[in-house]
Amino acid sequence: MVLFIYGTKANFVKSDWYQPNQYYQNGQYVHSVFGTQDRAIHAKLRKPVAGIYSMTSIASYEPLTDDIIIKFLRVLNERFIRTGKTCPIDQWFQYLAFDVVSMVTMSRPMGFVEQGGDVDGLLAQLETEFSYRLQTGIFPVWDTILRKNKFVSWLSRNTVSPFLKRSREILDDRVKALHERDAEKYSDEMGRDFVSRFFEQKEKNPTEVSDNMLLMYVTQNIVAGSDTTAIVLRSILYRLMKNPNALATLRAELDAANPTFPIPYSVAYKLPYLTAVVKECLRLHPIGGSLLLERIVPSTGLKVLDSDVVLPGGTIVGSTGWMTAFDKRVFGEDAGVFRPERWLKGEHETHEAFKERLSMMNSSDLSFGKGSRLCLGKHIAELELFKVLPTLVALLDIEMDPPGKEWDVEYLFFAKQSGMDVKIKWRKGVVQEEIIG
């Protein structure tokens, strides 16, 4: 049913739950790739930038990512390793993720890692925004009443969404830098970032890429690129800390690969056990908290599998990542257990049987959505995950403080974790000066 409802050929459009995920400015909607319900608008928004988000293009952002990872290691060393202080790693993963996405977007970090805290209240604003979207998504009429109407737009005409405002500042700053060729603001790195490539698309397709579309592209990077990746980083580290055998297996694979650091993506994504760990953690802790990924049954109706029930057109249906991830018919009787080996070929399993089993598991994966509405930023997240986690695991000893401590998870718009207080040390044999200078 997952592919039938969410697959590329599926004829199920998004419900009104997604309305609050669009912006409203000057009495008009600023449609987003994630939020728009209209398929034609979605295709129009996605087409000019789809290539920018391809894995081939994302690989060119790797040097920008490396800079932030090295900065992150230096700050961890100064604040926590040398001092022996406890590190709230759940918060620091959020700082890292925000700086990485801002770096690949505009060639400069927002400064979360350096500051070691919220910058300009953006994280607090983000949490407030997602809380609003979750609640008004359940009753979309309230979003129309509270925000998306011309009367409210007129009353708040001098008030701009903090994310649209920040995105506009980023675009204006780049226009100025390009015009003046300011040596301090314009560099070769900017030719590799998202903003430069968004502008290139506007120059190539001036009638197809509007100013509002440029604004939306930058905003979606900022809004969607930090919380989601931080959640997965926390999930992977937490489960490795709780499963020492899996941690030892992953470290053995990394040590055998003998990579440079930060580990190159071209090396990391070829490591089978690392890939299995990432997939298993995405499965056990889907990013969405209580998100149903609602879709509307088309006029032809929907016959429920293994029953005579037919849902009429207009019925809202959907699934959460949690529902599909723990399906024992797909993942086995131990679906609730962390076992990365399920993503690897069994010792006595034929190639054909493994290929069929893997295909079934992948088909049930809703981590980044499915079909034509697959998350545009999936490859950005993968680049970060396959670089940050193996780098930390290979270089550092990290354990919960106190040992055995459990995390806390809040299931709202996202399934956000907290309470991950850890102690950090360099692994024996690591020459830190070779890594962080």
Side-chain angles (χ1 to χ4, degrees), residues 310-337:
V310 177
L311 300 177
T315 304
I316 295 176
V317 296
S319 176
T320 70
W322 302 88
M323 293 167 61
T324 60
F326 292 87
D327 189 341
K328 293 182 179 180
R329 295 169 299 178
V330 177
F331 296 101
E333 289 300 317
D334 65 345
V337 176

Side-chain angles (χ1 to χ4, degrees), residues 213-230:
M213 288 171 69
L214 275 180
L215 193 64
M216 182 277 299
Y217 292 144
V218 176
T219 303
Q220 73 181 5
N221 269 22
I222 294 173
V223 171
S226 63
D227 260 326
T228 50
T229 308

Side-chain angles (χ1 to χ4, degrees), residues 109-299:
M110 291 282 193
F112 288 88
V113 170
E114 183 172 354
Q115 185 168 305
D118 199 353
V119 175
D120 297 334
L122 282 175
L123 293 180
Q125 293 164 5
L126 199 60
E127 189 153 337
T128 299
E129 178 65 22
F130 281 127
S131 177
Y132 171 87
R133 293 184 186 187
L134 174 66
Q135 295 174 63
T136 54
I138 299 171
F139 301 104
V141 66
W142 280 107
D143 181 52
T144 302
I145 294 171
L146 295 172
R147 282 189 180 178
K148 295 184 174 72
N149 64 77
K150 292 187 177 180
F151 178 67
V152 171
S153 180
W154 180 80
L155 287 177
S156 58
R157 59 192 179 278
N158 295 321
T159 304
V160 182
S161 156
F163 309 108
L164 289 178
K165 181 181 179 182
R166 179 56 63 100
S167 299
R168 172 54 62 195
E169 290 171 353
I170 291 170
L171 290 170
D172 289 346
D173 186 61
R174 180 57 55 86
V175 169
K176 183 179 179 181
L178 289 170
H179 179 72
E180 298 177 354
R181 280 299 192 268
D182 190 321
E184 292 184 2
K185 290 187 176 181
Y186 187 84
S187 63
D188 292 339
E189 283 77 11
M190 286 184 176
R192 294 199 302 267
D193 67 24
F194 274 99
V195 171
S196 289
R197 297 185 186 195
F198 292 154
F199 274 117
E200 286 175 7
Q201 288 304 310
K202 182 168 177 59
E203 289 176 9
K204 292 178 183 177
N205 308 286
T207 59
E208 294 183 18
V209 181
S210 66
D211 288 343
N212 268 353
M213 288 171 69
L214 275 180
L215 193 64
M216 182 277 299
Y217 292 144
V218 176
T219 303
Q220 73 181 5
N221 269 22
I222 294 173
V223 171
S226 63
D227 260 326
T228 50
T229 308
I231 286 168
V232 185
L233 288 171
R234 295 181 196 122
S235 178
I236 298 174
L237 179 62
Y238 181 78
R239 285 185 165 80
L240 287 174
M241 289 190 294
K242 293 293 183 179
N243 294 272
N245 289 337
L247 176 60
T249 301
L250 178 56
R251 277 183 168 162
E253 182 178 67
L254 290 169
D255 291 344
N258 193 29
T260 56
F261 294 104
I263 188 170
Y265 178 80
S266 60
V267 174
Y269 89 97
K270 293 178 182 178
L271 300 177
Y273 196 75
L274 172 61
T275 301
V277 167
V278 172
K279 283 181 171 288
E280 185 73 342
C281 290
L282 281 167
R283 180 185 74 84
L284 284 175
H285 194 99
I287 297 168
S290 49
L291 304 188
L292 187 59
L293 301 180
E294 292 183 2
R295 297 294 188 270
I296 301 174
V297 174
S299 58

